[in-house]
Amino acid sequence: MGSIQAIRGTRDILPEEVGYWQWVESIARDILSRAAYQEIRTPIFELTTLFERGIGETTDVVGKEMYTFKSRGENPYSMTLRPEGTAGVVRSYIEHALDVKSGIQRLWYLGPMFRYEAPQKGRQRQFHQLGVEVLGTADSRADAEVIAIATDILQTLGLKNLRMDINSVGNPEDRQRYRQALVDYLTPYKEELDPDSQVRLSRNPLRILDSKDRETQAIVQNAPSILDYLSADSGRYFEQIQARLDDLGIAYQLNPRLVRGLDYYTHIAFEIISDDLGAQATVCGGGRYDGLVAELGGPKTPAVGWAMGLERLIILLQQLQEAPVPALDFYVVSRGEKAESQALQLAQKLRQAGFSVDLDLSGSAFKKQFARADRSGAVACLVLGEEEAENQTVKLKWMASKEQSAIAQSELLGTIEELRQQIKVKR
Ligand code: ATP
Ligand code: MG
């Protein structure tokens, strides 16, 4: 019988790669907590209606990408593996009345998302998103802040060749006027549009603007710009966000074709794009969604947020540098029953004292253990043979300089602070 493999569109993150993930996660956690964002963890599956209402039935995600199935039990209902994070966060926000408890909420999440898509580089069926949502304020500082946090994370990771597109889709009335103008412009070209776009012309014409079809793109080039249809207030709001981004030294370019077609998306929309990713170029996408909380049955609540695709981020990091390896202080080598037992105790005590310690469990010849110690990247090697075990000593060998000395085991544990200093210096 053949062996079982991971399902198409999913993949294992092996130890050799996981360093990237942990690095991204720790940088994100750090930046987000310094900005007073709190983590929220919502379930991986939710009622299907949450996504139908929260993402919109005319979107590709709801129309063709969801993993939907029936629950068990006597009155089965339809449930769906979450294809994105915002709907669940908003559901939770409403369910727990987070607005009443503490006013403006700054939240972030990280976890797997599921979409039935054609797998390719940077596109999977199970993938991971890091996302933030700021709920309860329409202040343009919130828009600028979430964008600044996204750029901070990407910059701290050392990513280059990124650019940001921004646009405003105004308020629902602005968009209604624009929608009409767009339909008026596109209708004479109807037969030349790609089949999907022809359907969208009546259902959700704004989405035609991001069609990937060449011919449609050419037609769309000369379409009216939504920026010409913003009300004075919406225009001012958008200018204010741009001024704040300028103040923060964040670069962007206007892209009037960057739109989201649904009514609860309002005002700013933005994307951070990499030129080093090929076809799957968008690393981060976000915007304001002042209508969503009410759409999902909550109080009228303005909100803004973004989501980052971590697989794409990590592809970029892999192009830049080797996977970060965790720092190791000691590699412990031992041979002989008594020495092995003392080595186990010593390793445990050093770990409890805050050092990172790899204990060689192989029982193989010293030579092989030393070779592994060399490869381990440890700052120092601790050696326990029969002689050391007999005398309750340990050989301490600094890997870089090869200096070594024999110390009483009790002394090693007694001079932890000194050891810490030495490790710092030798690293
Ligand atoms: P795309 O146009 O690439 O399909 P999207 O508009 O569907 O992206 P969003 O729903 O805005 O993407 O999700 C935010 C980010 O999540 C994307 O910019 C991307 O980095 C990542 N992402 C989305 N779908 C996938 C996927 N199937 N596999 C890997 N990453 C994904
Ligand atoms: Mg998509």
Side-chain angles (χ1 to χ4, degrees):
M1 215 161 69
S3 60
I4 296 171
Q5 300 190 334
I7 288 178
R8 187 167 139 79
T10 71
R11 55 187 288 277
D12 301 308
I13 299 166
L14 298 175
E16 64 195 32
E17 185 190 321
V18 85
Y20 289 111
W21 290 81
Q22 293 174 340
W23 185 41
V24 169
E25 287 164 17
S26 81
I27 291 210
R29 247 174 248 282
D30 195 41
I31 288 175
L32 288 161
S33 74
R34 272 186 280 137
Y37 284 65
Q38 289 184 301
E39 185 180 3
I40 181 166
R41 301 186 188 190
T42 62
I44 302 249
F45 46 73
E46 299 266 6
L47 289 178
T48 303
T49 39
L50 173 67
F51 301 117
E52 286 168 348
R53 281 167 62 188
I55 304 172
E57 305 201 45
T58 59
T59 59
D60 281 353
V61 171
V62 171
K64 30 185 167 169
E65 297 175 358
M66 294 207 299
Y67 284 96
T68 296
F69 48 99
K70 276 220 152 35
S71 73
R72 291 173 180 263
E74 267 178 29
N75 296 306
Y77 44 85
S78 177
M79 52 203 267
T80 293
L81 296 181
R82 63 180 186 195
E84 53 97 60
T86 305
V89 169
V90 169
R91 193 239 347 109
S92 175
Y93 174 86
I94 298 168
E95 185 169 336
H96 302 286
L98 295 182
D99 58 320
V100 180
K101 284 180 187 137
S102 45
I104 295 170
Q105 292 282 314
R106 285 187 171 95
L107 302 171
W108 68 271
Y109 60 83
L110 188 159
M113 307 293 161
F114 305 85
R115 296 184 192 179
Y116 183 69
E117 299 200 71
Q120 49 198 294
K121 193 178 171 210
R123 190 176 295 287
Q124 294 174 197
R125 292 179 173 174
Q126 174 175 339
F127 62 100
H128 297 77
Q129 282 183 342
L130 166 70
V132 308
E133 320 287 357
V134 177
L135 296 130
T137 176
D139 193 310
S140 63
R141 286 176 297 174
D143 306 64
E145 179 182 281
V146 294
I147 291 175
I149 286 174
T151 55
D152 245 7
I153 291 173
L154 299 169
Q155 243 167 37
T156 307
L157 290 168
L159 297 180
K160 305 258 158 44
N161 297 334
L162 295 172
R163 55 202 158 80
M164 181 163 64
D165 279 5
I166 68 170
N167 192 27
S168 172
V169 294
N171 61 34
E173 295 79 60
D174 301 340
R175 207 165 35 246
Q176 199 50 46
R177 270 181 292 144
Y178 176 64
R179 184 190 154 112
Q180 193 53 54
L182 188 62
V183 170
D184 291 346
Y185 168 80
L186 288 172
T187 303
Y189 299 103
K190 181 163 183 191
E191 298 309 314
E192 294 154 56
L193 298 174
D194 61 278
D196 276 348
S197 295
Q198 292 187 11
V199 177
R200 285 172 187 152
L201 193 55
S202 54
R203 290 191 76 193
N204 193 347
L206 268 68
R207 291 216 32 237
I208 298 174
L209 296 180
D210 61 22
S211 165
K212 306 276 188 287
D213 180 81
R214 277 284 178 91
E215 218 173 315
T216 304
Q217 278 177 348
I219 295 167
V220 154
Q221 276 300 320
N222 299 315
S225 160
I226 193 164
L227 295 176
D228 296 328
Y229 289 80
L230 299 184
S231 65
D233 281 350
S234 298
R236 259 196 305 276
Y237 189 37
F238 190 39
E239 275 165 22
Q240 206 173 38
I241 295 173
Q242 292 173 60
R244 295 195 187 287
L245 293 176
D246 294 339
D247 290 344
L248 292 167
I250 295 171
Y252 56 86
Q253 62 210 10
L254 294 186
N255 175 2
R257 273 176 293 282
L258 174 63
V259 292
R260 295 163 174 248
L262 299 163
D263 273 359
Y264 38 74
Y265 290 116
T266 49
H267 303 290
I268 194 166
F270 62 91
E271 271 185 3
I272 301 175
I273 302 146
S274 165
D275 293 327
D276 304 330
L277 274 174
Q280 270 58 250
T282 307
V283 176
C284 178
R288 184 161 272 288
Y289 50 94
D290 289 345
L292 181 58
V293 182
E295 173 68 30
L296 291 176
K300 208 162 168 273
T301 309
V304 61
W306 50 252
M308 242 179 227
L310 296 187
E311 275 75 8
R312 294 183 195 177
L313 207 66
I314 280 158
I315 292 173
L316 291 174
L317 288 175
Q318 284 171 329
Q319 292 170 7
L320 274 182
Q321 60 168 87
E322 301 273 296
V325 274
L328 185 64
D329 297 326
F330 292 109
Y331 193 93
V332 183
V333 159
S334 61
R335 196 154 162 78
E337 203 171 313
K338 211 165 168 189
E340 285 172 358
S341 139
Q342 288 178 12
L344 174 66
Q345 293 169 54
L346 198 63
Q348 183 64 359
K349 284 188 178 132
L350 286 166
R351 288 167 179 163
Q352 286 166 344
F355 295 100
S356 54
V357 182
D358 187 344
L359 172 65
D360 194 308
L361 295 173
S362 67
S364 52
F366 267 130
K367 196 168 170 223
K368 284 194 172 162
Q369 295 194 46
F370 284 134
R372 274 193 291 272
D374 277 333
R375 287 195 302 268
S376 73
V379 180
C381 180
L382 293 172
V383 188
L384 284 109
E386 258 168 53
E387 197 187 317
E388 285 82 12
E390 212 49 63
N391 307 330
Q392 304 265 321
T393 58
V394 57
K395 211 179 282 161
L396 171 67
K397 182 172 155 197
W398 299 100
M399 301 304 279
S401 62
K402 307 280 182 238
E403 346 156 22
Q404 55 178 55
S405 48
I407 320 178
Q409 286 175 28
S410 59
E411 208 179 308
L412 185 71
L413 293 171
T415 57
I416 294 248
E417 270 322 307
E418 199 178 313
L419 221 47
R420 235 189 273 283
Q421 284 311 319
Q422 272 176 302
I423 283 181
K424 234 189 235 164
V425 172
K426 311 230 181 209
R427 176 161 278 141

